Amino acid sequence: MSATSPVPQVHVVDLEIGGMTCASCVARVEQRLGRLDGVAAEVNLATERARVVAPAATSVEELVAAVRAAGYDAAPVSDRSDDDSARPRDLERVRLVVAVVLAAIVLVLSMVPAVQFAGWQYWALALATPVVWWSGWPIHRAAARALRHGSLTMDTLVSLGSAVAWMWSAWQLALAFTTGGHLHAHLDAEVAAVVVAVVLVGRRIESRSRRSAGAAVTALAALSVRDVAVRIAGVEHRIPIERLRVGDRFVVRPGERVAADGTVVAGEAALDVSTLTGEPVPVEVGVGDAATAGSIAHGGVLEIEAEQVGADTRLAAIGRLVEQAQLGKGSAARLADRISAVFVPVVIGIALASFAGWMLAGASLEAAIGVAVSVLVIACPCALGLATPVAILAGTGRGARRGILITGPSALESAASVRTVLLDKTGTLTTGRLSLVAVQAAPDASEADVLALAASLEHGSEHPVARAITAAATEVQPVARAITAAAAEVQPVAVEAFRALPGSGVAGVVEGDDVLVGSPALLAERGIALPAPLAEAADAADGTLVAVA
């Protein structure tokens, strides 16, 4: 006998990180979390989240404390609410508007001689002051916090560049005011104000891009239901979806979404699974068939016994897959993180060296400071660490909204080398919507009459096939060359005694005539044989056949 080592127990925690502005922040958070025994963290700047794998003995509170020790805010994702983030965004919007308006005035005043007047330099500095110190306060605060924890970030560059430019301008004006000397024609006040305004505008655009790209998870979540009709002892009770348990039997009526994965125990209906699989044709289900959460029932009432609920459903797994893909990092993002870790110190070193070099070359103090500030300002944008994660976020989000699930950044990077795609079956790549492509009438009928009868009967149905027929009848233009303009302009009429035939079609009375619309098998069950021309057309057809009698 041989002893086996126990498998260490771990858990995965998703944290929302506040205060990160660049790839240097990401590196610092990952390093601080990595100092905890057995903890591995992957932080994504674009989503402002961290996925942490930690030993079971490591509590969430310890992880949050480690992030806060690095100078950033943290909380479990589920603890955040939309209301908590709405108020900071409102203040950010006000700071942005103030910065853009005042910086534009300062820029025009400083760069257009025609609008300059005596003492305009004082006005330029006065208008730049709230931009630098109020609108730019979050930048300075983040830079100071990082410095307090022994770190240099992109905020350090922005803060240092704008602050030095403002203080140099203030020093020049104070010196001229106290000594009565000449006011310089050019100050750096516009540089300080414009740098802060441009950075705030850039971050606003980045924030909107992140929220837009992250809408894929929200869209998937919208496929789930809020409450469900559970049948207990033959009586239906409407309960919140959170209270649904494995083994419960719930009812799904036409037009409703299935609340959980399970097995049909009563009823027949067509399930529209296009949102999950892309298949445009509904799947007919009955007793013993499987039903998937997120699919829509049509043409019948189902009673389903829940087998997978909540986070265990297939729909929830798809949502987690999209989230994990957006949280992950590719090799390009990891390279950017490594570069950014040394980028800021290198830039500051270059700025100091530039200042010293110009001073040793005999340049004036003003010129030397201007060169140093220029180096800091040019290096301010944080596209280095943000471009790659935002691109991954946008790509995975757009793919999910179009029904394409991407397992992570490595899959995106591998896709660049794909030259051939093999599909395992036909009909998988579709728009997810059915459309009518042809109408074939019997010798004693017209296309317009056939389409009018079918559209009248299908007008009140939510079934995808019914919607396609109704849309074709009400379109002004024909939907395909095989349908004449006359057939495509008919209007549905009132129907009496309408009844759905689950899994088969619909029936009713149209202007005194009994009408059946459904599969050819439905007509065969009623002893109705297709005329020879229609039978031949049906054999040669490629698509979903709908018979009208």
Side-chain angles (χ1 to χ4, degrees), residues 450 454 458 506 515-523 530 534 545-549:
V450 173
E458 300 280 25
V506 292
V515 180
L516 280 176
V517 178
S519 64
L522 173 64
L523 273 61
L530 292 177
L534 295 188
L545 295 177
V546 178
V548 182

Side-chain angles (χ1 to χ4, degrees), residues 275-317:
T275 52
L276 298 175
T277 66
E279 294 284 356
V281 182
V283 178
E284 303 292 341
V285 297
V287 176
D289 292 329
T292 305
S295 54
I296 306 174
H298 296 295
V301 179
L302 296 176
E303 184 174 345
I304 302 173
E305 183 174 323
E307 296 175 349
Q308 303 288 340
V309 300
D312 297 328
T313 64
R314 183 182 176 191
L315 177 62

Side-chain angles (χ1 to χ4, degrees), residues 116-333:
Q116 293 175 352
F117 51 86
W120 66 266
Q121 295 91 336
Y122 292 106
W123 282 97
L125 182 65
L127 294 174
T129 299
V131 177
V132 175
W133 301 112
W134 185 74
S135 294
W137 172 245
I139 299 174
H140 302 305
R141 180 179 57 195
R145 182 172 54 194
L147 190 61
R148 188 168 60 249
H149 290 86
S151 177
L152 298 176
T153 67
M154 293 293 180
D155 286 315
T156 307
L157 296 181
V158 180
S159 177
L160 189 58
S162 60
V164 169
W166 183 91
M167 287 187 289
W168 177 246
S169 299
W171 167 255
Q172 287 180 312
L173 290 180
L175 191 63
F177 181 79
T178 55
T179 62
H182 174 69
L183 283 173
H184 288 273
H186 298 287
L187 298 177
D188 291 329
E190 78 280 4
V191 174
V194 170
V195 164
V196 171
V198 168
V199 169
L200 293 180
V201 169
R203 290 184 180 178
R204 179 71 175 180
I205 294 173
E206 292 159 1
S207 177
R208 292 184 63 179
S209 298
R210 289 197 299 265
R211 288 197 296 271
S212 175
V217 178
T218 304
L220 286 172
L223 300 181
S224 59
V225 298
R226 296 180 179 274
D227 52 35
V228 60
V230 176
R231 185 163 291 175
I232 303 175
V235 180
E236 287 188 18
H237 301 272
R238 205 80 189 177
I239 64 172
I241 187 63
E242 295 80 10
R243 291 175 54 190
L244 185 66
R245 297 291 182 265
V246 174
D248 289 347
R249 294 190 174 188
F250 60 94
V251 178
V252 182
R253 292 182 169 78
E256 294 182 345
R257 291 190 182 275
V258 177
D261 295 347
T263 301
V264 178
V265 294
E268 293 180 344
L271 287 182
D272 180 0
V273 296
S274 59
T275 52
L276 298 175
T277 66
E279 294 284 356
V281 182
V283 178
E284 303 292 341
V285 297
V287 176
D289 292 329
T292 305
S295 54
I296 306 174
H298 296 295
V301 179
L302 296 176
E303 184 174 345
I304 302 173
E305 183 174 323
E307 296 175 349
Q308 303 288 340
V309 300
D312 297 328
T313 64
R314 183 182 176 191
L315 177 62
I318 293 174
R320 286 194 300 272
L321 179 64
V322 175
E323 283 188 307
Q324 290 169 7
Q326 293 179 343
L327 280 171
K329 290 184 182 180
S331 58

Side-chain angles (χ1 to χ4, degrees), residues 25 79 97 101 103 107 128 149 186 203 238 282 334 356 401-402 514 525:
C25 302
D79 291 350
V97 172
V101 172
L107 182 63
H149 290 86
H186 298 287
R203 290 184 180 178
R238 205 80 189 177
R334 296 184 186 280
R401 287 194 296 274
R402 291 181 173 271
D514 289 330
E525 291 175 1

Side-chain angles (χ1 to χ4, degrees), residues 449 453 456-457 493-499 507-517 548-549:
D449 292 338
L453 288 173
S456 297
L457 214 58
V493 297
V495 177
E496 299 176 357
F498 175 86
R499 59 191 183 280
V509 178
V510 180
E511 296 182 332
D513 294 324
D514 289 330
V515 180
L516 280 176
V517 178
V548 182

Side-chain angles (χ1 to χ4, degrees), residues 417-429:
S417 60
V418 172
R419 295 295 177 267
T420 304
V421 178
L422 302 179
L423 305 178
D424 64 344
K425 67 173 184 173
T426 59
T428 300
L429 299 181

